Amino acid sequence: MDPGEPLESGGASGAAPVGTDRVVRVDAGEWGWTWAADADGRLHQVGLGPEGARAPVEVDPVWYPDAHPTWGGADPLRPPALRITHADGTTTTRLRLDRVERQSVGDDETVSVCAFDEVFNLRVRFHARTHRASGVLEQWVEIDHDEDGPVTLWDHDSIAPTFLVGPDAAITQFGGAGWADEWAWTTERLTPGTKVLDSLGGIQPHLQRAPVLLLEPNGPTDEESGDVVGCSIAWGGNTRFALDVRPRANEELRDLRVRAGANPLGAHYVLEAGDRFVSPTVAWTWAQGRQQLSDRFHRWTRDRVLRDPGRTRPIVVNNWESTFFDFDEARIIGLIDRAADLGADLFLLDDGWFGTTHPRDDDDAGLGDWDVDRRKLPGGLEVLVRSAEARGIRFGIWVEPEMVNPDSDLFEAHPDWVIRDGREPRLHRNQLALDPLLAEVRDFEVGVVDRVLAAAEGATYLKWDANRPVTDPGSRALPTDRQSNAWVDWVHATWDVMARVARAHPATEMMLCASGGGRTDHGTLRWFHEFWTSDNTDPVTRVRMQWACGHWLPMSATAAHVTAWGGRPLPFACAVALSARFGFDLDLDALDADGLAVCRRAVACARRTQDLVQHGRLRRLVSPVDGDRSRAALAFVSDDRGRAVVFAYQLEESTTEAPAIRMDGLDRDAAYTATVTDLTADPVELGPFTGAALADGVLGWNLTEPTSTRIVELVRSDAADPPGGGPGGVSRSATGTAP
Ligand code: GLA
């Protein structure tokens, strides 16, 4: 097929009619993809990848398979991305290109490819929005129709690109056993057939699998080189990646179609004439090396997703792991005092502070009743806020507005507000989920936050939790023959609530939590500042989790608290939390003098390094998910290369030779002073070393004991003083040799 002349009319925006032999190009920033309409107006993918925005390549499939499988040439029978039963019962769809619209905003544009069914009055618009500063492309699909009755969308993927992959093509997925096992790293080679990677449960699906996929179409890559495609489904509900691998006769190469979007399992969508179905946005990029992949996702997440991305997040002290539900005013004020003494920025009061007729002494009562439990907190929340303010720190509060215990005033008043399928609903963590398709529920949920923040006037931080999945789907807001729409509609309704809350409380920093990292999608995060990575805070596990999610999300958003989980040495636990958004969830009252000294050193280190960790460039140096998985090292480098911090962790006994730490990303000719600590003693200053020496591995590994650590801060001789006034108590090493 001859792609012919460029289609574009050259204007900043506008529609162009499409004839035959026309091409549509999307330049996503150093990569892109190209489609062309054939004589029938059918769109084909003719280019994808680094050259894809320019040069046609040999892959020539129908670019978004509709209705029935297609065949011929390099386009074998394969499952469709869009599967519709039309109003008259017809199960096929054939789309033809109508026109292409381009809207420009600054350097970016939204390309909308508008197609229509050749028989039915049904339209599909494929939108591609660039973010060239990062190289991440956002895509979504809109469908509407004027047929004589509703149509049913059985599959409604957001994208369906085809790749020509080599025999060693591999994917990495990020999912484990559920609660406390988020972000488990699995790399596998692709083999012929269809592999489905999905998630279920609606409210906290990412406990099962994060909605991201890493594809290495030509086999293993490293940080610096190799084709690597990263794909994130920005959807706060069930997601699906379907990978269709088809061999080619007498060739090593294979065709891979990646379909990505909302999981259609049980969620076919019945679309009325005149209504519009909007698919999730899928954000993806084709990078060279994993470093570039992360750089791109971090930049895009900061620019397009997170609230207040440039603001350095606070050092948080949370009471959950130290008290659970068992506390009173004196205990909390004591912890606030401890948090302030330690130098934290904010005290976060977790679950258990509410419930009057049904006190929240455990997880079996009180959820939904957002009045303070005066038995525990006689002075109300205001006393706690004032106490934090008096100690010079901020106050934050936990809520779970989407949920209810049957043992609550709320449930007694509104038993019909919960998600149920007509049967007796099943409890999970003794609770039920409210149905956000009911307008009164949405108002209630917005009101919960208003009420709680009014009761805790002066609070500037909110942790938003959601501790059960949907197991018995059903909504009385939907007609009986539209029940399957709920899975998609719930996401939009919940986002509506979150958007209202964010608008009403623009100064309140918000953490997104769902039994840990059950909600870690780039869609829901738009109303939040950060997320709770996992309830699993065992630092050995956390190193691997943070390594995995750090591919997609900046550490400013990745909350990591020091806890007693796993019984690991405190310096090690602190060092692991320091490599993400730092905080504590530790019984500060129970710390002995040594423990307190470690925590103080950690806070001082956070003061010096959190700006780097949260806003610097993440460099991954030694992987805890490859090889014998016994070690990890990562670094964060300032934009001007003047400062960096390196975290090295010995996780377990090693069976391999210790690596050197090759500190990349510095100015090779400059001299850097190194300040080293394992948090058991004050930092020691070493060096200076040149950037070249540091890149060549002058920093030896020097760790042997499992759960030991080393933090190396590097400052270029001409660099401005780091925040926090430089390492306190630094002593100069006598030798000046590499630590
Ligand atoms: C979830 C969260 C925890 C904590 C509890 C409170 O499990 O992930 O951090 O807030 O709820 O019930």
Side-chain angles (χ1 to χ4, degrees):
M1 183 173 57
D2 176 8
E5 289 305 305
L7 168 75
E8 273 60 65
S9 51
S13 70
V18 176
T20 57
D21 299 338
R22 299 301 188 94
V23 298
V24 183
R25 295 187 168 119
V26 174
D27 177 355
E30 296 180 23
W31 74 286
W33 60 333
T34 306
W35 312 296
D38 64 17
D40 292 331
R42 302 270 288 161
L43 271 165
H44 298 253
Q45 174 185 310
V46 295
L48 175 63
E51 295 297 316
R54 292 179 292 279
V57 295
E58 61 178 294
V59 181
D60 181 21
V62 171
W63 72 299
Y64 185 84
D66 46 32
H68 270 229
T70 54
W71 60 89
D75 195 15
L77 288 161
R78 57 173 79 246
L82 178 65
R83 198 158 57 89
I84 298 177
T85 300
H86 295 275
D88 73 353
T90 301
T91 61
T92 61
T93 299
R94 270 195 209 162
L95 297 179
R96 283 173 187 260
L97 184 60
D98 175 15
R99 64 187 192 284
V100 177
E101 296 171 356
R102 288 184 182 252
Q103 297 286 333
S104 296
V105 179
D107 289 343
D108 287 307
E109 62 177 345
T110 301
V111 183
S112 299
V113 177
C114 309
F116 60 93
D117 185 86
E118 59 188 25
V119 173
F120 298 103
N121 201 346
L122 176 132
R123 290 160 297 276
V124 182
R125 286 184 194 78
F126 304 93
H127 302 285
R129 182 180 180 220
T130 65
H131 183 244
R132 295 197 178 108
S134 68
V136 170
L137 183 66
E138 300 161 17
Q139 285 191 246
W140 70 101
V141 175
E142 293 181 2
I143 302 166
D144 66 353
H145 70 92
D146 297 304
E147 297 191 21
D148 289 338
V151 307
T152 303
L153 314 176
W154 298 96
D155 282 278
H156 37 65
D157 291 298
S158 303
I159 58 167
T162 301
F163 301 83
L164 194 59
V165 303
D168 296 325
I171 53 159
T172 300
Q173 53 161 306
F174 302 83
W179 179 77
D181 198 30
E182 300 92 325
W183 293 103
W185 179 288
T186 306
T187 299
E188 59 203 293
R189 275 178 57 175
L190 282 172
T191 51
T194 299
K195 182 166 185 99
V196 171
L197 301 171
D198 63 357
S199 59
L200 299 166
I203 293 176
Q204 39 173 235
H206 314 142
L207 282 186
Q208 300 147 45
R209 179 170 284 110
V212 290
L213 180 79
L214 195 144
L215 164 69
E216 294 162 302
N218 298 315
T221 61
D222 56 28
E223 290 295 321
E224 300 308 325
S225 62
D227 291 308
V228 57
V229 175
C231 188
S232 167
I233 307 172
W235 188 237
N238 304 338
T239 58
R240 177 183 73 170
F241 291 103
L243 309 158
D244 311 311
V245 181
R246 304 291 157 125
R248 294 182 155 202
N250 307 317
E251 280 188 45
E252 278 204 314
L253 296 174
R254 295 163 174 166
D255 291 331
L256 162 67
R257 171 111 55 195
V258 176
R259 289 175 290 140
N263 187 357
L265 186 67
H268 53 275
Y269 201 88
V270 184
L271 187 66
E272 295 291 345
D275 285 353
R276 177 169 298 188
F277 174 86
V278 182
S279 80
T281 294
V282 168
W284 62 304
T285 193
W286 185 309
Q288 299 303 310
R290 295 182 192 179
Q291 173 75 51
Q292 191 180 58
L293 177 113
S294 299
D295 287 345
R296 288 181 172 184
F297 267 97
H298 291 187
R299 175 73 194 264
W300 171 75
T301 304
R302 289 181 173 117
D303 286 2
R304 289 261 172 97
V305 180
L306 292 179
R307 291 177 58 195
D308 303 320
R311 185 191 292 168
T312 299
R313 283 23 177 170
I315 299 175
V316 175
V317 170
N318 188 198
N319 69 306
W320 176 243
E321 299 247 341
S322 48
T323 65
F324 296 104
F325 298 95
D326 183 17
F327 56 80
D328 58 18
E329 190 173 273
R331 175 88 161 109
I332 296 300
I333 289 178
L335 285 171
I336 290 172
D337 282 346
R338 290 293 186 152
D341 285 346
L342 202 51
D345 298 308
L346 187 144
F347 178 83
L348 167 61
L349 178 61
D350 212 285
D351 197 353
W353 58 266
F354 50 89
T356 48
T357 42
H358 306 269
R360 180 80 171 161
D361 291 334
D362 208 332
D363 62 18
D364 56 5
L367 202 53
D369 300 350
W370 296 101
D371 289 316
V372 75
D373 178 357
R374 301 246 169 204
R375 289 173 319 142
K376 285 183 190 168
L377 303 172
L381 297 174
E382 54 275 30
V383 162
L384 305 181
V385 182
R386 298 294 88 80
S387 156
E389 285 174 351
R391 299 303 316 270
I393 65 172
R394 296 164 53 195
F395 186 81
I397 188 89
W398 178 97
V399 290
E400 194 179 359
E402 301 158 84
M403 301 286 166
V404 62
N405 285 128
D407 191 3
S408 66
D409 291 342
L410 179 68
F411 189 75
E412 280 164 22
H414 301 290
D416 53 345
W417 276 13
V418 300
I419 290 177
R420 66 198 304 169
D421 60 355
R423 304 165 203 273
E424 197 47 39
R426 277 175 291 201
L427 296 181
H428 180 103
R429 209 194 190 216
N430 302 307
Q431 66 195 57
L432 297 166
L434 301 176
D435 183 353
L437 298 189
L438 302 171
E440 56 272 36
V441 166
R442 291 196 297 280
D443 291 345
F444 168 81
E445 292 175 3
V446 173
V448 166
V449 177
D450 293 343
R451 239 166 89 190
V452 170
L453 289 178
E457 201 195 338
T460 55
Y461 182 100
L462 189 84
K463 176 176 175 182
W464 178 306
D465 212 337
N467 279 317
R468 71 156 289 163
V470 175
T471 49
D472 306 294
S475 173
R476 67 183 176 84
L478 292 170
T480 47
D481 57 353
R482 304 286 189 281
Q483 290 293 303
S484 61
N485 288 12
W487 290 107
V488 166
D489 292 347
W490 277 327
V491 177
H492 292 297
T494 304
W495 283 356
D496 177 55
V497 170
M498 291 168 170
R500 286 168 62 186
V501 167
R503 270 198 305 274
H505 304 283
T508 306
E509 271 181 281
M510 285 173 52
M511 175 199 264
L512 179 58
C513 176
S515 295
R519 271 180 173 159
T520 47
D521 59 283
H522 284 107
T524 311
L525 265 172
R526 282 174 296 165
W527 293 287
F528 292 83
H529 294 78
E530 58 182 27
F531 65 97
W532 183 230
T533 317
S534 173
D535 276 354
N536 190 331
T537 47
D538 178 339
V540 171
T541 314
R542 264 306 184 102
V543 166
R544 298 193 182 106
M545 284 185 183
Q546 289 164 202
W547 181 272
C549 73
H551 281 69
W552 310 96
L553 292 151
M555 289 299 151
S556 55
T558 307
H561 293 176
V562 181
T563 73
W565 194 311
R568 312 294 186 176
L570 189 56
F572 179 75
C574 288
V576 172
L578 278 164
S579 67
R581 201 287 279 136
F582 180 69
F584 294 93
D585 201 335
L586 204 59
D587 188 352
L588 301 179
D589 281 328
L591 284 176
D592 61 16
D594 284 351
L596 197 57
V598 169
C599 292
R600 284 194 196 291
R601 279 182 213 110
V603 169
C605 183
R607 289 269 169 252
R608 299 189 303 269
T609 59
Q610 280 279 291
D611 68 317
L612 287 172
V613 170
Q614 296 186 21
H615 310 301
R617 187 174 183 213
L618 167 64
R619 314 286 305 208
R620 288 177 293 261
L621 306 176
V622 177
S623 169
V625 298
D626 295 318
D628 75 356
R629 295 165 44 97
S630 65
R631 309 178 182 89
L634 62 162
F636 299 88
V637 184
S638 65
D639 286 346
D640 68 356
R641 300 168 175 236
R643 293 170 50 227
V645 57
V646 185
F647 296 92
Y649 307 114
Q650 182 74 37
L651 304 175
E652 292 159 5
E653 294 282 353
S654 288
T655 56
T656 54
E657 200 176 315
I661 297 175
R662 297 189 187 284
M663 193 32 226
D664 220 352
L666 299 176
D667 189 345
R668 288 185 69 82
D669 298 328
Y672 290 84
T673 301
T675 311
V676 186
T677 182
D678 63 2
L679 300 176
T680 63
D682 288 335
V684 175
E685 192 177 300
L686 298 166
F689 306 108
T690 62
L694 289 160
D696 291 344
V698 70
L699 294 179
W701 185 254
N702 290 11
L703 295 172
T704 49
E705 287 299 309
T707 62
S708 59
T709 185
R710 210 154 48 110
I711 303 171
V712 184
E713 292 163 61
L714 297 165
V715 181
R716 196 171 56 199
S717 308
D718 66 349
D721 279 346
V730 169
S731 58
R732 177 89 202 147
S733 149
T735 63
T737 55

